[in-house]
Amino acid sequence: MHPFSILTLAIFVAGYITARWDLVTRLYELAIFAVDHGVLSRTLKGFAVLSFAFFLFLVPLERLAAWESTAASLDSPRGKATGTILGWRNSDLDIFVVSILQDVEPRRVENALRVGTLVRGSPHPLGQLLQLCGHSTIQVLGSLNLDPPEDQSDPSWVSAYNNGTSLFPLFRGPGDRTLAIQVVIFDRPSPARMQYLSLLPMSLALGDKMLKSDSTLSELGRDEDAETKIIRKRELIDKIGLHTVVKHSPTQKELFLPTILNQINCSSEMAQLLAKNAPLLRTREKRSLSVGERVVESATTLWDYFFDIAWRFLTTWCYPLLTWSFVIGLVGHRIIAEIILRVLEWRLHPDSLALKDVLATAQQVDIRLQQFCYWPIQYVTLRKRKDEWESITDRHPEYIRFYNSLWLVANDVIIGIAIGSYIIDHAEWVALQINVILSEWTVDGLRDMIVWLTDAPAGFKLNNELAVFLGRLFVWVIDYWKECVGSLRPYLPHVIYFIGFSSFAGATMPISLFSDLLSVLTVHIYCFYTASARIFHWQLTIIVSLFHLFRGKKHNVLRNRIDSCDYDLDQLLLGTILFTLLSFLLPTIIVFYLTFTSARMGIVFLKAILDTLLACLNHFPLFALMLRVKDSRRLPGGICFELQDTPPAMLRSVHPQGFPPCSYVLLKSVPLSLRAMFDQYFQLGYRLRKHYLSPSVVYCLSTGQFVPPLRRKSLYSLQYSMLPARRASIKEVWMRLTETSSAAVRDPITVPNGTLSHRRQPRKI
């Protein structure tokens, strides 16, 4: 069973158990009982003893077994059997070994390669694989445990020897025997398990997102000044690069390194093809079939005939009908999704905000619909892998993105079912708690705070008249808001029911709805913050201007500087009086401003938590983390070389003539780092920190300037990183779903009644 299916089933069972709250309660009571009766302490002691035994005995044994299995994983023959080395010759002194055919003479292998016997029965066009490896054919490079043939005049012939005890074979280089040899060994990646080597780390985001990251700086929450500075800095760096004295040009080996990695990735399938046809080169005995074998062959042919009839009926009538029904359903879903997406993306004018840029629920619906529109394209793309060699690694990242998206949606639905079941069963209680919290914190609590500020808060002496005026103004707005909310209070349980039912579409829907509900029910706090910030900023600006007047200065608007100015006595007297009045009124304004700013920042922090939960449920690299633990070679992050410690003094006794110096270097794949896997989250954290914790934000808060919230498009760019920048049109989806695959043509066979039919090859007994 596929690991993805097993984990999906486990997550579904866990979600179903969580949805049954009575079972969770019983488990909680059982846990309390275990703690009270010492069961937990005894379990921890047993776990500690077993862990000690594991690290003391099993870990060293596992390390020894891993070291012993290194030779087997390198596909290096350790016996004294003879063989022929096959591969590619990249240059006069660089060769790549694909396979070693044992017990086969080199001359016979050359003849088989010349007539195409060794590459017979290729499942896909062989030229596609050879073109990827940078060669037109495979060559005989040398021999194993054999001296070069007497008529062999090729100076690049390589001879390898192995006495059966050494970990690595010894090589005799081409021509000059005194030439030092460097052998690069590697653990052959398995294309069936989607393992491969890569120079660059695998990107979990789509390529168009990586290419457009430089051109969308303004969409990531940066202002125009910061964008201009970044562009100017980049231009200066490019100019400095033009003035370098010595510029390192890549060598031919460095340029050829990607091709060598392609050869390594393709070596497994090429070696399997050669090994499958290798028995054709050996001597085979010819004999006629026995009576029993003929009876078995006749019975097998008759069984295949009936099986072929049933198979043709299914593939000719049932399968096309089901396929077309499914395709029509997908296209109909795509049409409905396109209509909804157009509504969510509609703008009154080009500079206005769309509905998805305002509401978190609309943004979440947009994400889900775009995922549903992209899944058929991903599935069709992954299905094409069966028509090509598995060594072609272009679609491996798409495989991870596809199943990661499916897994996240499955988890989202399972968690949403559990949350929705709880909300629906306790809708009245949830509505009551939300009502109490909002009333105590956003209405009654805020009203009591304003009343407290009007009467010497914490012993501070404020201006009574101004404090009472502002307090009555804000209290009047709060009372009016309380009446409006009170009229909507009877509908709150119905809203909670709607949120509970929306949870069956995923846990992200109730989170988005709660985020929008929080924004709507705290509009009055946003208005208070805006009004108090404007008043504080205006008063502070006037005080600064009057302070310049008091010093005999003024602000030159044209030159943007402070110049000296001669004022009349009346002007100085009036400015001094206004400066004194506004300075004494400023503490009262500051108190109200700090109160509403703190409330606003608390709401922003709470919404940031909800948006972070949405980002985790929509984009968390869960499937990639599972692959990182299960098989890290499916997530390449680069390559590294390790020099192997080989005792040359012990290995020189293999051949009496001696061997030139030989060093062994192990080529290993570096797994993708956790930093690269969570790179999008680091970018999101950088944007949040740059927007809310930067010195400019502190300056805005200190001077009463408005701090705009982070744009939703910038905040949700993390969740759109696995989606294409331009979604496929309805026509493109229809063409991709209805195009025919290039399946291999099957050979016709003769059936008992003498007619011709296409079916599978009969099984060989």
Side-chain angles (χ1 to χ4, degrees):
M1 194 173 181
H2 198 275
F4 174 74
S5 303
I6 296 175
L7 291 175
T8 303
L9 180 61
I11 294 173
F12 176 77
V13 173
Y16 181 80
I17 293 175
T18 306
R20 302 300 179 182
W21 191 251
D22 53 349
L23 182 59
V24 177
T25 305
R26 293 179 182 178
L27 291 176
Y28 176 75
E29 295 176 354
L30 182 62
I32 297 298
F33 176 81
V35 173
D36 294 339
H37 291 76
V39 178
L40 183 61
S41 60
R42 292 194 296 269
T43 304
L44 292 177
K45 291 179 182 178
F47 178 77
V49 173
L50 292 177
S51 301
F52 178 77
F54 175 79
F55 286 107
L56 186 63
F57 299 104
L58 295 182
V59 172
L61 291 177
E62 190 272 336
R63 290 290 90 195
L64 292 176
W67 185 83
E68 290 293 335
S69 62
T70 303
S73 63
L74 296 174
D75 297 334
S76 176
R78 303 187 64 179
K80 295 184 178 181
T82 61
T84 303
I85 302 176
L86 298 177
W88 294 295
R89 194 175 304 278
N90 297 326
S91 65
D92 295 338
L93 299 178
D94 294 329
I95 63 173
F96 182 87
V97 178
V98 174
S99 178
I100 298 178
L101 300 182
Q102 299 186 13
D103 300 328
V104 181
E105 297 179 358
R107 186 176 304 169
R108 181 173 297 180
V109 174
E110 289 181 351
N111 295 331
L113 289 175
R114 195 174 293 111
V115 299
T117 304
L118 281 178
V119 293
R120 183 182 302 174
S122 176
H124 307 290
L126 187 62
Q128 186 180 13
L129 201 64
L130 294 175
Q131 183 180 4
L132 190 64
C133 298
H135 293 274
S136 59
T137 182
I138 197 167
Q139 305 173 5
V140 176
L141 302 179
S143 59
L144 174 66
N145 294 330
L146 285 176
D147 291 330
E150 296 179 357
D151 57 348
Q152 178 59 248
S153 60
D154 188 1
S156 61
W157 188 271
V158 176
S159 300
Y161 298 91
N162 199 334
N163 61 354
T165 59
S166 60
L167 185 61
F168 308 114
L170 286 178
F171 291 88
R172 178 176 295 167
D176 188 7
R177 296 182 179 179
T178 61
L179 184 66
I181 298 177
Q182 185 181 61
V183 181
V184 179
I185 55 180
F186 56 89
D187 188 3
R188 197 192 302 268
S190 175
R193 300 176 60 184
M194 303 182 70
Q195 299 175 352
Y196 69 101
L197 299 179
S198 176
L199 285 177
L200 301 177
M202 172 188 287
S203 175
L204 298 180
L206 282 177
D208 54 359
K209 297 296 187 302
M210 304 301 295
L211 294 175
K212 293 187 178 183
S213 60
D214 295 337
S215 61
T216 56
L217 292 174
S218 60
E219 297 180 358
L220 301 182
R222 300 187 178 101
D223 53 3
E224 296 181 357
D225 295 337
E227 180 184 359
T228 304
K229 292 179 180 178
I230 292 175
I231 295 176
R232 187 178 301 172
K233 183 178 180 181
R234 193 168 299 163
E235 292 177 353
L236 291 176
I237 293 176
D238 294 338
K239 289 182 179 180
I240 292 175
L242 297 176
H243 294 280
T244 53
V245 179
V246 179
K247 185 177 181 180
H248 172 69
S249 58
T251 61
Q252 293 295 330
K253 292 184 178 180
E254 293 176 351
L255 295 175
F256 202 73
L257 187 57
T259 305
I260 295 177
L261 292 184
N262 289 335
Q263 295 176 357
I264 295 176
N265 295 329
C266 300
S267 61
S268 179
E269 287 189 305
M270 182 62 72
Q272 292 175 5
L273 180 61
L274 296 175
K276 183 181 69 173
N277 296 318
L280 300 176
L281 305 182
R282 301 185 180 97
T283 304
R284 295 174 293 175
E285 297 181 359
K286 296 183 179 180
R287 66 178 182 87
S288 60
L289 296 178
S290 62
V291 177
E293 290 176 342
R294 292 177 180 176
V295 172
V296 170
E297 184 179 6
S298 301
T300 304
T301 305
L302 185 62
W303 168 255
D304 287 342
Y305 170 68
F306 289 109
F307 180 80
D308 181 69
I309 294 176
W311 179 255
R312 290 194 63 186
F313 174 76
L314 292 175
T315 56
T316 306
W317 299 98
C318 298
Y319 180 74
L321 181 62
L322 294 176
T323 302
W324 278 101
S325 301
F326 186 69
V327 169
I328 293 174
L330 282 178
V331 174
H333 172 272
R334 178 67 180 84
I335 294 174
I336 298 174
E338 183 67 24
I339 296 174
I340 299 176
L341 288 172
R342 291 292 181 89
V343 173
L344 296 178
E345 295 174 352
W346 180 79
R347 302 174 186 272
L348 186 61
H349 52 85
D351 295 333
S352 63
L353 296 177
L355 187 61
K356 67 176 185 178
D357 298 330
V358 178
L359 299 178
T361 305
Q363 190 83 56
Q364 183 60 36
V365 172
D366 180 78
I367 291 175
R368 282 290 178 261
L369 289 179
Q370 292 212 31
Q371 286 178 337
F372 293 155
C373 294
Y374 187 48
W375 281 346
I377 304 298
Q378 285 183 301
Y379 179 75
V380 172
T381 303
L382 295 178
R383 289 286 296 178
K384 289 184 178 179
R385 293 179 58 249
K386 296 185 178 181
D387 299 335
E388 298 177 349
W389 293 92
E390 294 179 344
S391 301
I392 300 176
T393 61
D394 296 341
R395 297 185 176 94
H396 291 358
E398 191 68 29
Y399 174 86
I400 296 177
R401 286 191 288 265
F402 177 66
Y403 280 99
N404 189 80
S405 178
L406 287 180
W407 202 349
L408 288 178
V409 173
N411 292 342
D412 186 24
V413 172
I414 292 170
I415 298 173
I417 291 174
I419 296 176
S421 301
Y422 178 81
I423 293 177
I424 293 173
D425 293 339
H426 305 82
E428 298 292 339
W429 181 82
V430 173
L432 179 62
Q433 294 300 318
I434 293 177
N435 185 24
V436 171
I437 292 174
L438 291 176
S439 299
E440 290 183 355
W441 288 87
T442 64
V443 179
D444 296 336
L446 187 61
R447 189 181 189 280
D448 296 338
M449 175 64 70
I450 294 174
V451 173
W452 179 67
L453 292 177
T454 58
D455 188 15
F460 289 100
K461 182 62 176 176
L462 302 178
N463 186 275
N464 295 330
E465 289 75 10
L466 181 59
V468 170
F469 170 75
L470 294 176
R472 289 179 179 178
L473 178 62
F474 290 130
V475 167
W476 175 77
V477 176
I478 290 176
D479 293 338
Y480 182 75
W481 176 258
K482 185 176 181 180
E483 293 179 1
C484 296
V485 174
S487 61
L488 300 176
R489 189 171 302 167
Y491 301 99
L492 187 58
H494 301 285
V495 175
I496 299 301
Y497 271 112
F498 176 76
I499 295 176
F501 282 108
S502 68
S503 301
F504 291 96
T508 52
M509 290 304 297
I511 295 176
S512 303
L513 289 171
F514 274 119
S515 179
D516 293 334
L517 188 64
L518 179 64
S519 300
V520 172
L521 296 179
T522 57
V523 171
H524 61 294
I525 297 179
Y526 177 77
C527 296
F528 292 164
Y529 161 70
T530 305
S532 60
R534 290 292 180 87
I535 295 174
F536 174 67
H537 178 66
W538 290 341
Q539 186 170 354
L540 189 63
T541 304
I542 295 173
I543 289 176
V544 171
S545 300
L546 293 176
F547 180 72
H548 291 322
L549 183 145
F550 183 74
R551 296 169 51 232
K553 305 285 186 179
K554 72 172 182 178
H555 179 250
N556 192 336
V557 181
L558 297 178
R559 298 182 178 273
N560 193 19
R561 67 183 184 184
I562 305 300
D563 296 334
S564 300
C565 182
D566 296 332
Y567 293 100
D568 297 334
L569 181 60
D570 297 339
Q571 293 176 337
L572 292 174
L573 182 60
L574 180 60
T576 304
I577 294 173
L578 293 177
F579 176 78
T580 306
L581 291 176
L582 293 177
S583 299
F584 283 110
L585 294 177
L586 184 62
T588 306
I589 301 297
I590 290 178
V591 168
F592 283 91
Y593 170 70
L594 291 178
T595 301
F596 298 128
T597 302
S598 303
R600 176 59 184 170
M601 291 299 106
I603 295 173
V604 169
F605 179 74
L606 183 58
K607 293 191 65 175
I609 294 177
L610 296 177
D611 290 333
T612 304
L613 291 177
L614 290 176
C616 292
L617 291 175
N618 285 323
H619 182 73
F620 193 80
L622 190 60
F623 189 75
L625 283 176
M626 187 272 294
L627 291 180
R628 180 69 166 76
V629 177
K630 177 179 175 290
D631 189 2
S632 60
R633 298 180 65 185
R634 296 178 63 175
L635 292 172
I639 58 175
C640 67
F641 295 92
E642 292 183 1
L643 182 63
Q644 301 298 301
D645 186 12
T646 54
M650 297 176 59
L651 297 179
R652 285 184 179 275
S653 61
V654 178
H655 199 273
Q657 297 180 359
F659 290 88
C662 186
S663 61
Y664 298 89
V665 180
L666 178 61
L667 173 63
K668 295 177 61 178
S669 175
V670 177
L672 189 66
S673 62
L674 296 178
R675 175 65 175 80
M677 294 175 63
F678 291 92
D679 182 65
Q680 297 289 334
Y681 283 92
F682 283 100
Q683 293 183 13
L684 178 61
Y686 173 78
R687 296 170 197 168
L688 292 174
R689 180 180 60 83
K690 190 73 174 177
H691 188 82
Y692 290 111
L693 299 180
S694 62
S696 60
V697 173
V698 176
Y699 175 77
C700 291
L701 292 176
S702 302
T703 57
Q705 299 182 24
F706 180 72
V707 180
L710 185 61
R711 296 179 60 184
R712 188 168 296 277
K713 186 175 183 180
S714 174
L715 189 62
Y716 275 72
S717 61
L718 164 69
Q719 306 178 41
Y720 283 99
S721 60
M722 291 190 178
L723 295 173
R726 185 191 66 85
R727 62 178 178 269
S729 62
I730 299 175
K731 181 180 179 181
E732 184 178 355
V733 172
W734 173 262
M735 294 178 61
R736 294 290 296 273
L737 292 177
T738 56
E739 65 182 359
T740 57
S741 61
S742 58
V745 180
R746 293 166 291 187
D747 297 331
I749 63 167
T750 303
V751 293
N753 60 1
T755 59
L756 294 179
S757 174
H758 291 273
R759 66 167 178 83
R760 301 180 305 170
Q761 293 292 339
R763 293 172 294 179
K764 296 181 180 180
I765 306 297

